[in-house]
Amino acid sequence: MFEFFRKYMRVFQIILAVLIIPSFGFLGVQGYRSMDEGANQSVAQVDGQSITQAEWDFAHREQVERVRRQNPTADPKLLDSPQLKQQSLDKLIRDRVMLVAADKLHLSTTDDRLQRLFSTDPQFASIRNADGSVNKDLLAAQGMSSEMFARRLRQELSVQQVLLGVSGTGFASVFASDHAVDSFFQQREVFLQRFDAASYASQVNPSVADIEQYYKDPANAQQFQAPEQASIEYVVLDLDAMKQQVSINDEDLHKYYEENAARYSTPEERRASHILIAADKSLAAVERAKAKAKAEAMLAEVQKAPDAFAELARKNSQDPGSAAKGGDLDFFGRGAMVKPFEDAAYSLKVGETSGVVESDFGFHIIRVTDKRGGEKRSFEAVRPEIEAEVRQQLAQAKFSEAAAEFTNLVYEQADSLKPVIDKFKLELKTTPGVTRKPASGAKGPLASPKFLDALFSDDALRNKRNTDAVETGPSQLVSGRVLQYDAAHALPLADVKDKVRARLVLVQAAALAKKEGEARLAALKQAPQTELGIESRLVSRMQMQDLGEPTIDAVLGANPKALPAVVGIDLGPKGYLVAKIQKVIGRDPVAADPARARSQYVGAWGEAETQAYYAALKTRLKVSVNDKLAAQAARAEPAESR
């Protein structure tokens, strides 16, 4: 038989080539085609124009980068959340609606208006040159040319006009706004009678049958379950792991020390006194010449009596800040004084006096009286600091190189973590009793919902495969696998009997409280003038005191035309509350001033009208969203799925 195969091996090779290569080519092309089709799938349409998955992905990346720039410590899991992805899509749709509407309404921005806005608006000051032109280098750093910036700015100004006519013209009469504000901020005098469930607990005594029935009720099942949990093992690739693998020699450390010598030196400071003959640079040349001559005469006096410098400064210096102190300017470092003054002061030795030094303020005679700093710390003194910095930098570079390989390795050899452990010399960590949600006090990867979601995914639980590499922090990747999984299951009644009884007591006590509260409510409705024998209270939305929103809403929602009014509020497991509204009082004095409240009311109306107009535009432009595809994409992880 083997002879047969050897004899016809060439034939078999040709047959395999004919069968396999076309299939491989077909599947390969199909794979690339499917990837391309996925990127070009339409997730939404505006006026017949598609918004593709690729456009959504790009918009989301831009939004994530904006968030990271504004808040570098933002939690990575929030940046990949379905909520933020949905916000990106909503904004993309809104921008597209505004662009189409601006085009259909012929709202455009002229070149003159564009230039005028760029030249005068403070928000563009950072990218505006002194001559009013755009700083192309700063734009390039953001990945934009001046043409791209102008086009984007023109679009923004045009789309702003779409809604400006609505949002900028909100109006409400004084009567309407004051009536609304008064209603919102009004106070009411109420009598409150509580029926606390805790007060009725002693009156209930659940039977064995009641306990069993409550335990078996499907609606209560989750209260008495052992949560699902898993025993896991995982590895962490981070800077600490990389630092263990970094080797540093003395030559590298000495080189770093010399290249960063300024960092390891104490800044030199000088102390000086001066005599100033003031002559602003704007003075005529003749006037400045007179001031200089006066300074030269003063220098001659100083040279005759060097020890009288301080006294001469008090009598003759025209610097009001230092003259009274004998010209003393205290210690200053480089950059603190104008350059001619600094250059002269740092060229003198302690005790030496300069010649006449000219600056924009006039003419100075400078004497250096002391100096400090300028000492360079020895290499040995800063070696631990240098070694830590160099190790950090090398570890960061090593992590960047290792991250991609780590990600591929845990995916390609998904049946074990040993390959990455051996490759990167990582520590294998094991933890029992891991739950789907972070445990109280959890730290590190086990506090990351993103990592826990990966561990409790169907693939990880069913097939016991490695999770994808998950970013759980800056420069930190984690992959784990489930060793043993225990699904959520009901605990035996014998183990939770006390807990069941305690819950049932609360339920029955709350029911008793509600029953008596409702009876009291019915009686008061029949005789609302009945005295309750308790003190009244003033309540408002500004002063909720110890009352919750349901109570405040019920009290303020009672019809003020039929007072006294009585309402009942079911507090659930806490019991029941009966409120008797006795009187309606004016606006709470704690509320905002009338003018501000009226302005906020008008603003709220303008915002409501803007939202309504936007909704109308969406209807007119036939905006549609592929809900199924959008939901799948919003939930998708950034890494490739298996």
Side-chain angles (χ1 to χ4, degrees), residues 107-154:
L107 299 173
S108 60
T109 302
T110 64
D111 291 342
D112 288 343
R113 181 166 183 257
L114 192 71
Q115 182 59 47
R116 186 168 62 254
L117 178 75
F118 178 75
S119 300
T120 58
D121 197 318
Q123 69 173 311
F124 302 120
S126 61
I127 58 171
R128 198 165 53 220
N129 291 323
D131 61 358
S133 62
V134 66
N135 189 319
K136 295 183 179 181
D137 292 336
L138 287 177
L139 288 182
Q142 300 177 38
M144 282 194 295
S145 64
S146 56
E147 291 78 12
M148 291 170 61
F149 172 73
R151 184 166 60 252
R152 179 174 291 188
L153 181 57
R154 191 187 302 275

Side-chain angles (χ1 to χ4, degrees), residues 24 33 72 106 174 192 202 331 363 377 417 444 447 455 462 576 578 628:
F24 177 79
R33 185 176 298 162
H106 306 292
V174 173
L192 301 174
S202 60
F331 283 99
F363 300 91
R377 296 161 66 193
L417 292 171
L455 282 170
R462 185 174 56 251
Y576 200 80
V578 174
K628 183 177 180 181

